[in-house]
Amino acid sequence: MTSLNIEFFGYFAAILTTAAFLPQLIKTLKTKKADDVSLITLIMFISGVGFWIIYGYEISSSPILIANLITFILNLFILISKLYFSKKY
Amino acid sequence: MTSLNIEFFGYFAAILTTAAFLPQLIKTLKTKKADDVSLITLIMFISGVGFWIIYGYEISSSPILIANLITFILNLFILISKLYFSKKY
Protein backbone atom coordinates (compact mmCIF):
# COMPACT_ATOMS: atom_id res chain seq x y z
CA MET A 1 0.00 0.00 0.00
CA THR A 2 1.33 3.48 -0.79
CA SER A 3 2.17 5.87 2.04
CA LEU A 4 -0.68 8.17 0.97
CA ASN A 5 -3.21 5.33 1.23
CA ILE A 6 -1.92 4.38 4.67
CA GLU A 7 -2.29 7.98 5.89
CA PHE A 8 -5.83 7.99 4.51
CA PHE A 9 -6.70 5.00 6.72
CA GLY A 10 -5.26 6.80 9.75
CA TYR A 11 -7.21 10.00 9.16
CA PHE A 12 -10.41 8.13 8.32
CA ALA A 13 -10.01 6.07 11.52
CA ALA A 14 -9.43 9.24 13.58
CA ILE A 15 -12.49 11.01 12.12
CA LEU A 16 -14.77 7.98 12.69
CA THR A 17 -13.66 7.21 16.28
CA THR A 18 -13.97 10.92 17.15
CA ALA A 19 -17.29 11.75 15.45
CA ALA A 20 -18.79 8.48 16.79
CA PHE A 21 -19.54 10.11 20.15
CA LEU A 22 -21.74 12.86 18.68
CA PRO A 23 -24.76 10.51 18.14
CA GLN A 24 -24.41 9.31 21.78
CA LEU A 25 -24.47 12.91 23.04
CA ILE A 26 -27.48 13.79 20.84
CA LYS A 27 -29.32 10.62 21.97
CA THR A 28 -28.65 11.39 25.65
CA LEU A 29 -29.85 15.00 25.28
CA LYS A 30 -32.98 13.88 23.40
CA THR A 31 -34.02 10.99 25.68
CA LYS A 32 -32.81 12.83 28.81
CA LYS A 33 -31.27 9.64 30.18
CA ALA A 34 -28.10 7.56 29.92
CA ASP A 35 -28.63 5.03 32.71
CA ASP A 36 -27.39 2.15 30.51
CA VAL A 37 -24.15 3.99 29.73
CA SER A 38 -21.47 2.81 32.18
CA LEU A 39 -20.16 5.57 34.48
CA ILE A 40 -16.88 3.67 35.01
CA THR A 41 -16.43 3.38 31.23
CA LEU A 42 -16.93 7.13 30.80
CA ILE A 43 -14.49 8.03 33.60
CA MET A 44 -11.82 5.56 32.39
CA PHE A 45 -12.25 6.61 28.75
CA ILE A 46 -12.10 10.37 29.47
CA SER A 47 -8.98 9.85 31.65
CA GLY A 48 -7.35 7.77 28.91
CA VAL A 49 -8.17 10.36 26.26
CA GLY A 50 -6.63 12.97 28.58
CA PHE A 51 -3.38 10.99 28.52
CA TRP A 52 -3.60 10.74 24.69
CA ILE A 53 -3.79 14.57 24.64
CA ILE A 54 -0.61 14.84 26.76
CA TYR A 55 1.05 12.20 24.55
CA GLY A 56 0.00 13.98 21.33
CA TYR A 57 1.29 17.29 22.67
CA GLU A 58 4.62 15.79 23.76
CA ILE A 59 5.32 14.04 20.45
CA SER A 60 3.96 17.12 18.56
CA SER A 61 1.31 15.11 16.70
CA SER A 62 -1.51 17.42 15.60
CA PRO A 63 -3.85 14.58 14.49
CA ILE A 64 -3.57 12.80 17.86
CA LEU A 65 -3.92 16.11 19.74
CA ILE A 66 -6.93 17.43 17.78
CA ALA A 67 -8.83 14.12 17.53
CA ASN A 68 -8.45 13.46 21.26
CA LEU A 69 -9.35 17.03 22.27
CA ILE A 70 -12.68 16.69 20.40
CA THR A 71 -13.25 13.16 21.82
CA PHE A 72 -12.47 14.51 25.31
CA ILE A 73 -15.00 17.37 25.02
CA LEU A 74 -17.76 15.16 23.53
CA ASN A 75 -17.37 12.49 26.24
CA LEU A 76 -17.20 15.12 29.00
CA PHE A 77 -20.56 16.46 27.77
CA ILE A 78 -21.97 12.88 27.71
CA LEU A 79 -20.76 12.37 31.31
CA ILE A 80 -22.19 15.71 32.52
CA SER A 81 -25.52 15.00 30.75
CA LYS A 82 -25.71 11.51 32.26
CA LEU A 83 -25.10 12.81 35.79
CA TYR A 84 -27.46 15.78 35.34
CA PHE A 85 -30.35 13.68 34.01
CA SER A 86 -29.88 10.92 36.60
CA LYS A 87 -30.40 13.48 39.37
CA LYS A 88 -33.16 15.45 37.71
CA TYR A 89 -35.41 12.65 36.45
CA MET B 1 9.96 15.39 29.44
CA THR B 2 12.18 12.39 28.76
CA SER B 3 11.38 9.99 25.93
CA LEU B 4 10.67 7.23 28.46
CA ASN B 5 8.09 9.36 30.27
CA ILE B 6 6.42 10.26 26.98
CA GLU B 7 6.13 6.58 26.03
CA PHE B 8 4.65 5.91 29.47
CA PHE B 9 1.84 8.40 28.75
CA GLY B 10 1.16 6.69 25.42
CA TYR B 11 0.95 3.20 26.89
CA PHE B 12 -1.11 4.37 29.87
CA ALA B 13 -3.51 6.15 27.49
CA ALA B 14 -3.81 3.03 25.31
CA ILE B 15 -4.50 0.75 28.30
CA LEU B 16 -7.16 3.11 29.73
CA THR B 17 -9.04 3.79 26.47
CA THR B 18 -9.01 0.04 25.71
CA ALA B 19 -9.94 -1.35 29.15
CA ALA B 20 -12.63 1.35 29.52
CA PHE B 21 -15.10 -0.73 27.47
CA LEU B 22 -14.96 -3.75 29.79
CA PRO B 23 -17.20 -2.10 32.47
CA GLN B 24 -19.73 -1.21 29.74
CA LEU B 25 -19.82 -4.83 28.55
CA ILE B 26 -20.18 -6.15 32.12
CA LYS B 27 -22.96 -3.61 32.87
CA THR B 28 -24.83 -4.55 29.70
CA LEU B 29 -24.59 -8.29 30.45
CA LYS B 30 -25.71 -7.72 34.07
CA THR B 31 -28.64 -5.38 33.41
CA LYS B 32 -29.56 -7.18 30.15
CA LYS B 33 -30.18 -3.85 28.40
CA ALA B 34 -28.29 -1.11 26.60
CA ASP B 35 -31.15 0.96 25.20
CA ASP B 36 -29.44 4.24 26.19
CA VAL B 37 -26.25 3.27 24.35
CA SER B 38 -26.37 4.80 20.85
CA LEU B 39 -26.42 2.21 18.04
CA ILE B 40 -24.96 4.75 15.57
CA THR B 41 -22.11 5.48 18.01
CA LEU B 42 -21.30 1.77 18.30
CA ILE B 43 -21.35 1.20 14.53
CA MET B 44 -19.25 4.31 13.78
CA PHE B 45 -16.81 3.52 16.60
CA ILE B 46 -16.35 -0.15 15.63
CA SER B 47 -15.82 0.87 11.97
CA GLY B 48 -13.28 3.50 13.01
CA VAL B 49 -11.42 1.04 15.24
CA GLY B 50 -11.38 -1.35 12.24
CA PHE B 51 -9.55 1.31 10.24
CA TRP B 52 -7.13 1.85 13.15
CA ILE B 53 -6.35 -1.90 12.97
CA ILE B 54 -5.56 -1.62 9.23
CA TYR B 55 -3.48 1.51 9.91
CA GLY B 56 -1.60 -0.15 12.80
CA TYR B 57 -0.88 -3.19 10.63
CA GLU B 58 0.31 -1.08 7.69
CA ILE B 59 2.69 1.08 9.76
CA SER B 60 3.76 -2.05 11.75
CA SER B 61 2.76 -0.51 15.09
CA SER B 62 2.11 -3.30 17.61
CA PRO B 63 0.63 -0.96 20.30
CA ILE B 64 -1.92 0.51 17.84
CA LEU B 65 -2.70 -2.95 16.44
CA ILE B 66 -3.12 -4.74 19.80
CA ALA B 67 -5.01 -1.93 21.60
CA ASN B 68 -7.46 -1.56 18.72
CA LEU B 69 -7.97 -5.30 18.29
CA ILE B 70 -9.06 -5.56 21.95
CA THR B 71 -11.21 -2.40 21.65
CA PHE B 72 -12.78 -3.86 18.49
CA ILE B 73 -13.67 -7.18 20.17
CA LEU B 74 -15.05 -5.51 23.34
CA ASN B 75 -17.25 -3.10 21.38
CA LEU B 76 -18.44 -5.85 19.05
CA PHE B 77 -19.60 -7.82 22.12
CA ILE B 78 -21.34 -4.67 23.47
CA LEU B 79 -23.10 -4.22 20.10
CA ILE B 80 -24.15 -7.90 19.90
CA SER B 81 -25.40 -7.81 23.53
CA LYS B 82 -27.36 -4.61 22.90
CA LEU B 83 -29.08 -6.05 19.83
CA TYR B 84 -29.71 -9.41 21.50
CA PHE B 85 -31.28 -7.93 24.65
CA SER B 86 -33.34 -5.36 22.72
CA LYS B 87 -35.04 -8.21 20.85
CA LYS B 88 -35.36 -10.61 23.76
CA TYR B 89 -36.69 -8.30 26.49
Side-chain angles (χ1 to χ4, degrees), chain A residues 21-32 78:
Chain A
F21 298 102
L22 200 58
Q24 179 66 61
L25 180 59
I26 293 168
K27 186 186 175 90
T28 305
L29 294 175
K30 269 189 182 170
T31 60
K32 296 187 193 303
I78 294 168

Side-chain angles (χ1 to χ4, degrees), chain B:
Chain B
M1 214 182 284
T2 65
S3 161
L4 196 71
N5 282 340
I6 296 170
E7 286 306 298
F8 167 79
F9 276 106
Y11 281 109
F12 198 59
I15 291 167
L16 269 175
T17 50
T18 299
F21 297 101
L22 199 59
Q24 180 64 63
L25 180 60
I26 294 168
K27 186 187 175 89
T28 304
L29 294 175
K30 269 190 182 172
T31 61
K32 297 188 192 301
K33 64 193 276 287
D35 295 342
D36 299 342
V37 178
S38 164
L39 181 67
I40 307 167
T41 289
L42 281 173
I43 292 168
M44 283 176 75
F45 192 70
I46 290 168
S47 310
V49 170
F51 282 104
W52 276 126
I53 292 169
I54 298 169
Y55 181 74
Y57 175 79
E58 289 293 336
I59 67 163
S60 305
S61 166
S62 296
I64 292 181
L65 191 61
I66 295 164
N68 282 288
L69 268 172
I70 300 169
T71 306
F72 188 88
I73 293 165
L74 285 173
N75 277 277
L76 201 63
F77 276 117
I78 295 168
L79 175 65
I80 292 167
S81 309
K82 176 184 164 65
L83 296 175
Y84 176 78
F85 291 131
S86 73
K87 286 197 174 178
K88 196 167 171 111
Y89 297 94

